[in-house]
Amino acid sequence: MFNDKTAKFILLAGLVLCIGGAFAPNWIVNQFMFGFARALAILGLMVLWRTGLVSFGHAFYFGLGAYAVAILDIELGVTDVFLRLLAGAVVAGTAGFLVGFIMRNYRDIFFAMLNTAISMVLFGIVVKTESLGSTDGFAISMSTILGFAPESKYPLFVIITLIGLTSALLVNFYLKTTVGKLTTAIRDNEIRVEYLGFSVAHAIHLKYTISTILAGGAGALMAMSLGQVDPESMINWTVSGELVFVTILSGPGNVIAPFIGSLVFEVLRTYAFELAPQAWQLIMGATFLTIIFFVPGGIWSLLEKLGGKKNAK
Amino acid sequence: MVGGSVVEAALTILLDGLQFSSYLFIVSAGLTIIFGVMKILNVAHGSFYAWGAYTAAFFIGKFSDMGLPDAMGFLIIIAAAIIVGVILGFIIEQGILKYMYHRDEVLIVLATFGLFLVLEDIILIAFGTDPYFAYQPMALLDAVEMGGIVRDVYGLTLIGVAALVAVGCWWLLNKTKWGTLLKAVIFDREVGIAMGINVPLVYTLTFIGGAILGGLGGAYIAPTISVAPGLGTEVIVLSFAVVVVGGMGSIAGAAIGSLIIGILRAIAVHELPQVELFVVFAVMAVVLVFRPEGLFAPAKPRKI
Amino acid sequence: MQNNPPILEVRDLLKTFGAVVAAKDINVDISKGEVVGIIGANGAGKTCFVNMVTGYLAPTEGSIKFEGKELIGLETRKITHAGISRSFQVSQVFHSMTVSENLMIALAIANNKGAQALSLMDTPELRRQLDGVLDRYKLEDHKDSTVSALAQGVRKLLDIAMAVVSKPRILLLDEPTSGISVEEKFDFMDIVMGALKEDGVTVLFVEHDMEIVARYVNRVLAFYQGEIIADMPPKKALADKKVQEFVIGKEHHKKKK
């Protein structure tokens, strides 16, 4: 599991980040926290994207993860970071597994749309339900770590980094297994995959469930990082669109890509927001179009080219 | 007078529902035509709606300030829809979509999402973040009492406009030479090319036509609402729900989808406001699960 | 050969599409090691038969038993697991992947059933098997080429190679030589039939080309309007009056058009 270049790089990067984070200023730590929390969801969407599936509704699982944390906090006073994360991933993953029985028969825009519909059902419920916080959402109390309450953001940052690292390693392994390799093959010819003896529906169901667990975990981590949840920034279809945007921005080439892509997205957002608050979406949309037209492999393919040139020299 | 109030309530729900269905239909008809002919699920359609609303509201306000008669408002609405549709439709189709026709359907959806984001912000830059109120055309038409309830006449004319759009589309598709060509392209693009149809031109005109309908929906609704940021975001998912329920690419489907969703939502608003949004998307999800091609489109075999 | 117990028993197979009868009264026993040619004009029901045996189409009535086990109602992949595989008239391969990648997927699926699908795909053992397949099907020269860039004949070879990596006991080939030039067809069939004989696979193949039928099969099933009108050795079949009239005559006619 650790004996390839990607895995080694992930371990090294994790070490550097965890040490570096202790000395970094708060705002940098924050950017990494948000970036890596979102990256978890992107990692899952990447698994789907490799098979040609785009979900315009993964905010459903992102939101479930985030709201699981909020409701556990309010109803039961659960503040432990690991319990919260587990709750988010389990709730979203269970929902994803169940929805997966239907979703595995859908492709293309029907897949995208059914996901949208399901996420908007949740959005519709949350927005109109007082006990779920309605449009205002909830504030979430500070997370504790195995009983102790940290004084800075650093411990949470380390945990998010470690969770991200572990997930990346697991997905990296998954992508090298037989079922994980069934990506382009499914996109190219489902009939052949069936005749070879593998159920395309089962393969897609697994990919879908993986993506929902990761999206739920991402939602939980995001809720903890932000200290609040609300439907507009956690469940609405524009959030799903944002997740898809970062997925395409990152590129499907490698499990490290979602982390880099998410960080770029965070930085882009912070600066664009400061420089031109009314043109933030414009910048995002234009970037998106540029990527679709000229850089189909996303940021990762650019990095690969850079690396390739260096090696050639 | 319990009986009377029940009838009044039912009438209110019916009219609210019809009005809501009407504007949904105008917008969705544009979306579904574009999908039917070009196989593009256009997320940026929400922006055509928003641009139509802003352009109409802006000029209605301006003209009113200049002391011109309020009746000009109706001309402005139509002009706004056409200007928005022609300019945005032309630029987007010729500048971007034209280069994507050979690419994956899903990728085109993503590109239109990128366009949506861009157009949303250009609205903010062009019109600012303060809401616009263009009540003049509505005030002009006054109100009318019917069956014991008072309704704005303007709102009722919306139903007429939707009916006109429906009849217009039907006439265009079934009674004109253009419609025959269009149906050939819808049936099979290759057949269309073989028949000597100028398919690129058909695409451009279809996209502009769809965009005009999107703009018209926004322009006509503008006098009844506060025109504020985020308009397009809501309407696009609602239109998706409509075309999915009715069957993507079908005008009749868009009409029936609009009626189902419009009336259900009106019932929810009056009787059970908590489920107002839920009910729309629950219907969409249920239709996708049990009849992915929509209620009124012919069922096609799935690939596998 | 007739003394062998049959491995495939087809009984009273019927398939209708509305009023159209695509297959009727099909009764066949196939013994282990046979090479059976299925001939018939277009629309005679040949591919329909292949589709029913491999679970792609469900028959309206009848039974298909493989090694005593009923196949009807099983999904295609379950039939692959049972030991029946097929190739396609139009090669069904992964066109944006290389030949090696295509075969690796096929090998990995064949080797890693069930939960094993969650083990690493690229193992030395699989690479070894890959080299074997590349060698036997003469695909080494093309192993790193993307399929969409390959000639029709190579794609067909790959299509068949992918079908046999699951080590089927029965292989159905749907028009293996269609799309392959006259000069290449015997070389092509020599490669395929040689490799299959080595593995002791029972082969049924749909074929339009009577030269191929005469050279490679030891039994012929002639289809006409969904029914088997002749079941006999190739020499006899090709000389048979009914076969001449309803199969070869039509073939000849078709070629002239």
Side-chain angles (χ1 to χ4, degrees):
Chain A
M1 187 166 161
F2 303 109
N3 53 3
D4 73 356
K5 249 164 78 182
T6 302
K8 282 176 190 152
F9 178 84
I10 293 171
L11 290 173
L12 187 70
L15 194 70
V16 172
L17 284 167
C18 287
I19 296 170
F23 304 101
N26 237 333
W27 65 271
I28 291 188
V29 170
N30 269 332
Q31 300 243 300
F32 272 84
M33 262 187 350
F34 298 146
F36 284 2
R38 179 178 287 101
L40 221 54
I42 309 304
L43 196 60
L45 286 177
M46 182 183 96
V47 170
L48 291 175
W49 175 228
R50 284 194 171 202
T51 313
L53 296 168
V54 173
S55 160
F56 247 93
H58 258 49
F60 177 62
Y61 303 104
F62 191 77
L64 278 181
Y67 272 76
V69 171
I71 287 164
L72 267 186
D73 182 25
I74 290 157
E75 300 294 325
L76 299 171
V78 174
T79 56
D80 185 77
V81 63
F82 295 108
L83 281 179
R84 285 175 160 185
L85 175 66
L86 190 70
V90 167
V91 169
T94 309
F97 175 69
L98 295 176
V99 172
F101 281 99
I102 300 168
M103 211 58 86
R104 66 193 199 178
N105 298 318
Y106 289 74
R107 305 290 183 270
D108 305 321
I109 51 173
F110 291 97
F111 180 85
M113 295 281 256
L114 183 54
N115 277 294
T116 311
I118 288 172
S119 73
M120 289 307 288
V121 166
L122 181 67
F123 180 73
I125 293 174
V126 172
V127 162
K128 297 280 175 184
T129 309
E130 279 310 319
S131 57
L132 290 173
S134 190
T135 47
D136 292 338
F138 298 114
I140 295 168
S141 60
M142 278 283 279
S143 297
T144 56
I145 300 163
L146 303 173
F148 105 97
E151 280 164 17
S152 76
K153 291 241 169 152
Y154 175 68
L156 185 60
F157 159 78
V158 170
I159 287 169
I160 291 179
T161 307
L162 292 178
I163 298 288
L165 181 152
T166 314
S167 310
L169 284 172
L170 286 170
V171 171
N172 190 42
F173 178 81
Y174 161 81
L175 290 173
K176 291 194 286 181
T177 63
T178 299
V179 56
K181 287 265 188 190
L182 287 178
T183 51
T184 317
I186 290 177
R187 216 165 14 165
D188 276 1
N189 197 329
E190 294 194 9
I191 294 176
R192 174 54 103 172
V193 175
E194 290 279 339
Y195 265 109
L196 287 174
F198 208 96
S199 159
V200 171
H202 291 173
I204 288 181
H205 198 167
L206 178 63
K207 291 172 200 298
Y208 191 76
T209 308
I210 290 174
S211 76
T212 61
I213 294 171
L214 288 169
L221 292 179
M222 191 58 98
M224 290 187 259
S225 307
L226 284 169
Q228 62 167 48
V229 296
D230 69 278
E232 193 58 42
S233 62
M234 298 283 186
I235 318 175
N236 203 0
W237 74 268
T238 44
V239 181
S240 302
E242 204 170 87
L243 293 176
V244 172
F245 167 71
V246 184
T247 309
I248 309 295
L249 178 76
S250 308
N254 191 293
V255 292
I256 301 165
F259 294 85
I260 297 172
S262 294
L263 272 180
V264 170
F265 175 75
E266 277 312 319
V267 173
L268 200 71
R269 167 144 85 181
T270 311
Y271 285 99
F273 228 84
E274 274 172 25
L275 292 174
Q278 292 188 356
W280 146 241
Q281 290 197 93
L282 194 153
I283 295 169
M284 198 158 99
T287 313
F288 200 27
L289 285 169
T290 313
I291 294 270
I292 289 174
F293 270 93
F294 304 110
V295 201
I299 293 176
W300 182 256
S301 67
L302 291 179
L303 291 177
E304 252 180 351
K305 259 187 215 158
L306 267 170
K309 267 182 201 154
K310 259 186 207 158
N311 287 347
K313 276 177 193 171
Chain B
M1 276 297 281
V2 176
S5 65
V6 168
V7 172
E8 283 165 20
L11 192 60
T12 306
I13 289 175
L14 181 70
L15 288 174
D16 276 2
L18 279 178
Q19 271 173 235
F20 189 51
S21 307
S22 299
Y23 109 83
L24 277 182
F25 171 72
I26 299 170
V27 180
S28 310
L31 188 69
T32 211
I33 287 172
I34 291 173
F35 183 83
V37 177
M38 308 166 76
K39 298 288 166 288
I40 289 178
L41 188 64
N42 180 25
V43 182
H45 201 71
S47 304
F48 298 154
Y49 170 86
W51 272 90
Y54 266 99
T55 311
F58 179 80
F59 284 107
I60 288 172
K62 269 273 173 302
F63 279 34
S64 178
D65 291 347
M66 286 158 64
L68 291 162
D70 286 348
M72 288 280 287
F74 291 95
L75 274 180
I76 294 171
I77 285 168
I78 293 167
I82 293 174
I83 292 169
V84 164
V86 170
I87 296 180
L88 288 185
F90 183 79
I91 293 176
I92 290 173
E93 203 274 335
Q94 284 295 303
I96 293 182
L97 296 180
K98 194 170 80 178
Y99 303 101
M100 294 207 75
Y101 293 142
H102 61 284
R103 303 196 50 184
D104 201 54
E105 261 178 42
V106 171
L107 219 55
I108 304 183
V109 179
L110 297 182
T112 62
F113 173 60
L115 279 167
F116 169 80
L117 295 174
V118 170
L119 290 173
E120 285 296 283
D121 264 10
I122 299 182
I123 286 183
L124 292 186
I125 294 166
F127 297 101
T129 47
D130 294 335
Y132 287 76
F133 299 95
Y135 53 86
Q136 289 84 349
M138 197 162 140
L140 187 71
L141 289 189
D142 216 344
V144 63
E145 203 202 302
M146 47 194 295
I149 57 168
V150 178
R151 302 289 303 186
D152 287 318
V153 174
Y154 186 88
L156 296 173
T157 63
L158 188 59
I159 302 172
V161 173
L164 269 178
V165 168
V167 171
C169 288
W170 177 85
W171 177 79
L172 189 77
L173 272 174
N174 296 300
K175 295 284 162 189
T176 66
K177 192 178 151 241
W178 250 95
T180 316
L181 297 181
L182 210 57
K183 279 198 284 193
V185 177
I186 292 172
F187 179 71
D188 189 337
R189 202 184 155 205
E190 304 306 319
V191 169
I193 293 170
M195 284 167 67
I197 298 171
N198 184 347
V199 173
L201 180 68
V202 169
Y203 275 25
T204 310
L205 292 177
T206 301
F207 197 76
I208 288 174
I212 289 176
L213 287 177
L216 181 64
Y220 211 89
I221 205 83
T224 69
I225 57 171
S226 111
V227 178
L231 271 185
T233 312
E234 195 193 344
V235 84
I236 188 62
V237 272
L238 288 175
S239 324
F240 277 0
V242 166
V243 297
V244 160
V245 168
M248 294 202 275
S250 150
I251 300 266
I256 291 160
S258 307
L259 281 171
I260 292 174
I261 285 185
I263 290 179
L264 270 179
R265 187 167 173 185
I267 295 172
V269 167
H270 288 280
E271 300 298 324
L272 200 62
Q274 305 93 290
V275 302
E276 182 196 336
L277 271 176
F278 164 81
V279 78
V280 171
F281 296 104
V283 169
M284 176 181 177
V286 167
V287 169
L288 271 172
V289 169
F290 292 103
R291 214 180 146 85
E293 303 286 338
L295 288 180
F296 298 92
K300 280 185 220 150
R302 265 219 300 277
K303 254 186 283 169
I304 195 153
Chain C
M1 207 168 274
Q2 296 301 336
N3 303 336
N4 281 346
I7 63 168
L8 190 73
E9 301 161 79
V10 180
R11 291 286 171 275
D12 303 321
L13 212 56
L14 173 74
K15 178 70 190 178
T16 54
F17 295 98
V20 182
V21 180
K24 201 180 133 192
D25 292 334
I26 297 185
N27 285 285
V28 183
D29 281 352
I30 309 283
S31 303
K32 190 172 180 326
E34 280 191 289
V35 178
V36 181
I38 299 175
I39 61 173
N42 281 341
K46 303 172 310 265
T47 298
C48 175
F49 176 71
V50 171
N51 283 342
M52 286 192 287
V53 173
T54 55
Y56 193 65
L57 276 179
T60 313
E61 276 170 32
S63 135
I64 303 172
K65 279 194 178 138
F66 171 62
E67 296 174 341
K69 188 182 161 200
E70 181 62 57
L71 295 183
I72 294 193
L74 293 184
E75 293 154 294
T76 54
R77 68 170 194 282
K78 293 278 164 63
I79 290 176
T80 304
H81 294 167
I84 298 182
S85 208
R86 76 172 288 188
S87 77
F88 298 84
Q89 191 178 342
V90 177
S91 47
Q92 299 287 326
V93 290
F94 308 128
H95 54 81
S96 58
M97 296 160 68
T98 67
V99 169
S100 291
E101 285 167 347
N102 268 273
L103 286 168
M104 278 300 270
I105 295 274
L107 284 163
I109 292 176
N111 280 279
N112 301 320
K113 304 257 163 59
Q116 276 184 303
L118 279 168
S119 60
L120 283 181
M121 180 177 106
D122 200 342
T123 58
E125 162 61 17
L126 222 59
R127 286 272 159 197
R128 202 183 51 72
Q129 290 187 25
L130 173 68
D131 289 339
V133 178
L134 287 170
D135 177 52
R136 265 201 297 175
Y137 287 86
K138 309 280 180 280
L139 287 164
E140 299 103 329
D141 294 347
H142 308 288
K143 66 176 180 180
D144 295 321
S145 314
T146 304
V147 170
S148 55
L150 290 173
Q152 189 60 247
V154 186
R155 280 192 222 186
K156 283 240 152 181
L157 268 181
L158 175 62
D159 187 70
I160 294 169
M162 284 173 80
V164 294
V165 296
S166 60
K167 301 202 170 60
R169 262 98 68 214
I170 295 184
L171 180 65
L172 296 103
L173 303 173
D174 195 354
E175 302 202 16
T177 62
S178 78
I180 291 177
S181 69
V182 183
E183 298 80 45
E184 289 173 321
K185 68 181 183 187
F186 291 123
D187 289 343
F188 176 89
M189 285 305 283
D190 284 345
I191 295 174
V192 172
M193 299 311 284
L196 293 176
K197 191 159 254 172
E198 235 174 83
D199 293 338
V201 183
T202 305
V203 183
L204 281 79
F205 69 83
V206 174
E207 188 54 74
H208 277 297
D209 188 326
M210 294 307 145
E211 283 184 324
I212 298 281
V213 172
R215 191 191 282 218
Y216 294 97
V217 312
N218 48 36
R219 179 177 169 192
V220 164
L221 299 177
F223 278 71
Y224 178 68
Q225 295 190 342
E227 290 184 68
I228 294 179
I229 54 166
D231 177 357
M232 49 189 77
K235 272 203 183 128
K236 219 176 133 196
L238 296 179
D240 186 89
K241 251 192 161 166
K242 267 204 293 189
V243 173
Q244 292 229 331
E245 186 183 347
F246 294 122
V247 180
I248 301 170
K250 306 234 169 197
E251 284 298 322
H252 194 62
H253 182 67
K254 195 184 76 181
K255 268 184 197 148
K256 263 198 299 195
K257 265 202 289 187

